[in-house]
Amino acid sequence: MQQSVEGQQLVEGTLLWEPSPDRIENARITSYMRWLAEEHGLTFASYGDLWHWSVSDVESFWASIVEYFQVFEIPTGTRILQRGQGVEGARFFEGCKLNYAELMFRHDPSHLALLHVEEDGSVRRYTYGELRASVGSVAEGLRKLGVVSGDRVAAVLSNTPEALIAMLATVSLGAIWSVCPPEFGTSSIVDRFSQIQPRVLFLVDSYRYGGKDFDITEKFVPLELAIESLEVVVVVPGGHRTADAIVPEGSTKRITWADIGRDEVDLEPTLVDFEHPLWILYSSGTTGVPKAIVHGHGGIALESFKVLALHYDISARDRFFAFTTPGWMLWNLGNASLLLGATVVSYNGSLNFPDLDRLWALAEEHEATYFNVSAGFLEMCFNSGLSPRTNHPKLRIRTVGSTGSPLSPSGFAWAAREVADDVAVQSLSGGTDVCSSFLAGCVLLPVHAGELQCVTLGAKVEAFDESGSPVIGEVGELVLTEPMPSMPISFWGDEGGARLHESYFSHYPGVWRHGDWVKITDRGSSIVYGRSDATLNRGGVRMGTSEFYRVVEKIPQVTEALIIDTSELGRTGELILFVVVSDAVSAPNGSLEVTPATEQLIRGVIRKELSPRHVPDRIVPIPSLPRTVTGKKLEIPVRKVLMGAPAEATLSASGVEDLAALDEFIAAIRSVGLAST
């Protein structure tokens, strides 16, 4: 597939960037490879050779990560890996002790740890010493409330310093952290937290988004009543209420943020087992009650050291700026750059308020070196003609990370060309399941348009064909055939592991099936084509949805698109294309219609650039396209609605960023008879 970029035809796989000798020389992974040679006599001629060793000698690789980053002591005789049935049931470093929070504070206490920016421009700064002191105070407050190792502490908080401090305070005690952003609906929060029965809830009273202030105190009582395990609610001021936080005089359940952090006590983390639960993340929540995914202290620590240092090339010199909310695993991974002594730049607000240039302006002002955003944001910048390097000549960004969905070849080229000089574009693919990236970048390797540079170290990712055999240069199921330490240790409440097995291991026994279509090239790079359970299969021709969007969304009249195939095994259904178009017209019944000219254009482009088999049966205009809080399109839940599931229950607000867009979408599909009333 070709796309026009500045008058040229951009082909997927076009070389866009190569690392300079100086960049290779000073990379963290180069230092690691030198250390392997000097300390263990292991030499590798290329990244590919290093990767093959990391997945063929799994125990030695992960032991080297522990040793190189000095994560914890490995007692003599420790069994580094105890295998289960293939990948399923594997356990690492049994008997080893650590604490994730303790690892954050091994750096110069005067070095800047956190630089936080609010949407109104206000800034707060914490050195490592100041952050440690705040974490120690809140940990002491939790301890006085009776919180002990294994208890759950939940939070409804924005991306603020309070969220990071509360998380580190919780896990320093061996308690288990879980968080939702405040824009989630009450029922969505209850769906998550009622599963895990937290004793304490941190609850913000307000937040600002898109220039508007939102007071969420109406959620207080419903949450307190619905989450029966709650003993204490810590009210955190969001800064956008006209009155003080609501804590009635004499209240026995609610206290303030100031109350819990009142005592100045040095942080004393509790050492826990390698697989002691660290936090609970959740599946997207758009297909029913979310699965509560439990990760362990050790696995997350090792994976974070590995991917942030050896793939993202993060060190104490860096400022890591990721646009995220606490409801996305990118929040956890971005904060983990503290493990490496970096400065976290956090932002609480809208990514495009007052315009698309806002994040780039913040990146320049606060000297971000690693900038991580959704592919959707980069595509919007590209389509708008924005040039960050022109608007912000002092940008220091060395690497742009793109995640959430596949980035188009043109999006790659735009970022490489328009952000700054010598910028590596890293498209990343992994997810909440491992709180990291399976497929990512590496400073040793070139960047090709539309391709993820490499499979990460220690991750034996393969593409399986329909018979379960690995293939190169062909699209297949993304699978993991060797275990990783950051795989979930369990789903909360899943006694016996039946749901965990069904989610990852039921399709290929002993092999992790991730649910994405991927093609691994003969040079070790990869291309992700979208979810394998949302794939378009028309007349035996399979196509990933991202490939469809790359074609349709470059049509000038089309702003966004969502494609759904309602076919089932043995039955051909409809191929339905939902579009946000610039020239939609109102029908007599108040619904939108696509003009005949635009509909003809869309069908013609699809027929020519994709295949005649993928011309949609119906094209349905919608006012706007609802997305999850991580920027993903609702392909799977929308398909369930079109197959007969109830709209409100299936298109749960728990994972949707814009509730108004969701309501408009449901109304639109009902107006043309595609959803039940």
Side-chain angles (χ1 to χ4, degrees):
M1 181 177 58
Q2 297 181 336
Q3 300 190 33
S4 177
V5 178
E6 291 195 334
Q8 301 178 354
Q9 292 297 309
L10 180 70
V11 179
E12 191 168 71
T14 298
L15 179 65
L16 296 176
W17 177 88
E18 292 184 284
S20 66
D22 182 66
R23 193 143 180 189
I24 293 174
E25 175 69 18
N26 293 302
R28 297 296 304 271
I29 192 169
T30 302
S31 174
Y32 169 68
M33 292 173 73
R34 288 197 194 104
W35 176 84
L36 284 175
E38 294 168 0
E39 297 295 326
H40 295 280
L42 296 168
T43 58
F44 304 98
S46 66
Y47 175 82
D49 291 341
L50 177 64
W51 178 81
H52 279 291
W53 168 73
S54 76
V55 296
S56 59
D57 192 349
V58 175
E59 296 187 34
S60 295
F61 169 70
W62 288 110
S64 79
I65 296 298
V66 173
E67 184 182 355
Y68 179 73
F69 291 105
Q70 300 178 1
V71 186
F72 51 79
E73 293 293 328
I74 305 176
T76 302
T78 296
R79 191 170 185 178
I80 293 173
L81 171 61
Q82 180 176 337
R83 292 182 178 273
Q85 181 186 359
V87 175
E88 186 173 12
R91 293 291 181 263
F92 286 84
F93 295 101
E94 289 187 338
C96 293
K97 301 283 188 179
L98 75 158
N99 186 287
Y100 181 79
E102 182 181 48
L103 297 171
M104 297 285 193
F105 297 110
R106 303 186 297 174
H107 313 291
D108 180 354
S110 66
H111 186 60
L112 186 63
L114 176 64
L115 193 161
H116 175 73
V117 187
E118 286 287 330
E119 193 177 83
D120 63 9
S122 59
V123 177
R124 285 189 281 169
R125 294 176 173 86
Y126 293 77
T127 65
Y128 273 87
E130 292 166 339
L131 185 63
R132 179 188 178 106
S134 296
V135 172
S137 294
V138 174
E140 176 64 14
L142 289 172
R143 190 179 289 112
K144 285 186 173 181
L145 293 176
V147 173
V148 297
S149 181
D151 284 343
R152 277 75 64 206
V153 173
V156 179
L157 295 173
S158 304
N159 184 15
T160 60
E162 288 77 13
L164 175 59
I165 291 166
M167 182 270 282
L168 291 176
T170 297
V171 304
S172 76
L173 300 174
I176 307 166
W177 170 259
S178 193
V179 64
C180 291
E183 58 267 27
F184 275 14
T186 302
S187 62
S188 305
I189 297 169
V190 172
D191 282 346
R192 287 163 163 77
F193 293 162
S194 61
Q195 297 182 63
I196 67 171
Q197 299 179 309
R199 292 183 63 185
V200 176
L201 175 67
F202 289 90
L203 183 55
V204 74
D205 62 12
S206 60
Y207 67 96
R208 175 172 291 164
Y209 186 86
K212 298 179 181 179
D213 294 335
F214 296 87
D215 186 326
I216 67 163
T217 53
E218 75 280 356
K219 297 179 182 178
F220 282 23
V221 171
L223 289 175
E224 289 170 342
L225 293 175
I227 306 173
E228 298 178 356
S229 59
L230 285 181
E231 298 172 7
V232 178
V233 172
V234 182
V235 181
V236 180
H240 305 295
R241 281 180 50 79
T242 57
D244 292 336
I246 298 177
V247 180
E249 186 175 351
S251 171
T252 58
K253 179 168 271 190
R254 297 184 196 171
I255 64 174
T256 68
W257 175 257
D259 292 332
I260 200 167
R262 192 176 305 280
D263 297 323
E264 295 184 6
V265 178
D266 188 39
L267 179 65
E268 297 182 1
T270 300
L271 294 182
V272 296
D273 291 335
F274 185 88
E275 289 201 340
H276 184 84
L278 170 67
W279 55 47
I280 297 172
L281 307 184
Y282 299 90
S283 60
S284 64
T286 55
T287 56
V289 177
K291 295 184 288 288
I293 300 170
V294 184
H295 291 122
H297 277 246
I300 290 297
L302 295 194
E303 178 61 28
S304 298
F305 275 116
K306 179 208 79 176
V307 78
L308 289 169
L310 305 184
H311 289 278
Y312 297 10
D313 199 31
I314 301 299
S315 68
R317 66 181 176 175
D318 285 294
R319 292 192 172 189
F320 191 107
F321 182 16
F323 179 80
T324 183
T325 76
W328 190 2
M329 53 73 55
L330 183 56
W331 182 80
N332 305 73
L333 187 60
N335 288 328
S337 60
L338 295 172
L339 293 168
L340 297 162
T343 299
V344 172
V345 179
S346 65
Y347 177 60
N348 183 32
S350 169
L351 84 170
N352 59 358
F353 178 82
D355 52 45
L356 279 174
D357 197 45
R358 179 65 191 280
L359 292 188
W360 302 107
L362 292 173
E364 179 187 44
E365 179 181 359
H366 300 297
E367 302 180 325
T369 57
Y370 191 98
F371 183 66
N372 197 311
V373 289
S374 68
F377 174 75
L378 295 176
E379 299 285 2
M380 286 190 289
C381 292
F382 162 61
N383 290 329
S384 70
L386 188 68
S387 176
R389 66 180 302 150
T390 300
N391 297 344
H392 307 287
K394 295 182 180 179
L395 276 169
R396 295 181 56 205
I397 296 172
R398 295 183 296 115
T399 306
V400 171
S402 170
T403 190
S405 58
L407 180 65
S408 71
S410 293
F412 266 89
W414 174 86
R417 183 182 68 245
E418 297 295 342
V419 172
D421 290 333
D422 195 27
V423 168
V425 182
Q426 294 187 346
S427 184
L428 314 168
S429 181
T432 303
D433 314 81
V434 291
C435 201
S436 185
S437 306
F438 288 126
L439 310 171
C442 176
V443 75
L444 304 180
L445 302 172
V447 173
H448 294 85
E451 296 183 5
L452 293 78
Q453 287 172 281
C454 61
V455 179
T456 60
L457 298 173
K460 193 171 184 182
V461 170
E462 299 183 76
F464 270 15
D465 63 16
E466 293 181 354
S467 66
S469 299
V471 293
I472 299 293
E474 300 177 23
V475 177
E477 287 272 4
L478 191 160
V479 298
L480 188 70
T481 56
E482 286 289 345
M484 293 172 61
S486 66
M487 296 186 307
I489 59 175
S490 67
F491 289 163
W492 191 267
D494 182 25
E495 301 298 334
R499 294 181 69 204
L500 187 74
H501 173 84
E502 179 62 28
S503 295
Y504 305 119
F505 303 108
S506 59
H507 196 78
Y508 303 111
V511 171
W512 173 297
R513 175 178 177 262
H514 193 59
D516 282 343
W517 288 124
V518 66
K519 178 171 70 177
I520 298 175
T521 73
D522 56 7
R523 58 171 173 262
S525 61
S526 58
I527 303 164
V528 177
Y529 291 96
R531 297 294 295 173
S532 57
D533 43 10
T535 299
L536 313 175
N537 189 342
R538 307 298 290 181
V541 178
R542 297 191 305 184
M543 182 179 298
T545 54
S546 66
E547 187 173 357
F548 194 99
Y549 299 139
R550 290 174 189 175
V551 169
V552 174
E553 292 183 349
K554 73 177 182 180
I555 298 171
Q557 291 88 335
V558 178
T559 304
E560 291 186 296
L562 176 71
I563 186 70
I564 305 293
D565 187 353
T566 63
S567 298
E568 294 181 291
L569 185 64
R571 185 188 70 83
T572 301
E574 283 189 300
L575 189 63
I576 302 171
L577 174 63
F578 297 96
V579 288
V580 180
V581 291
S582 59
D583 59 349
V585 296
S586 296
N589 65 357
S591 64
L592 294 177
E593 289 184 347
V594 180
T595 65
T598 296
E599 180 162 346
Q600 183 178 1
L601 175 62
I602 293 171
R603 293 183 181 278
V605 168
I606 294 170
R607 180 179 297 275
K608 179 181 179 182
E609 298 197 33
L610 292 174
S611 83
R613 297 183 183 183
H614 288 85
V615 175
D617 298 293
R618 303 177 70 170
I619 299 178
V620 179
I622 52 176
S624 59
L625 186 64
R627 293 176 179 266
T628 69
V629 293
T630 62
K632 295 181 181 179
K633 299 179 180 182
L634 305 176
E635 292 171 337
I636 298 170
V638 170
R639 184 177 186 274
K640 289 191 173 186
V641 171
L642 300 183
M643 302 295 286
E648 276 79 4
T650 306
L651 297 175
S652 167
S654 58
V656 178
E657 181 182 42
D658 187 340
L659 299 183
L662 177 63
D663 291 338
E664 290 177 347
F665 179 78
I666 292 173
I669 62 177
R670 280 179 173 161
S671 70
V672 292
L674 289 174
S676 62
T677 58

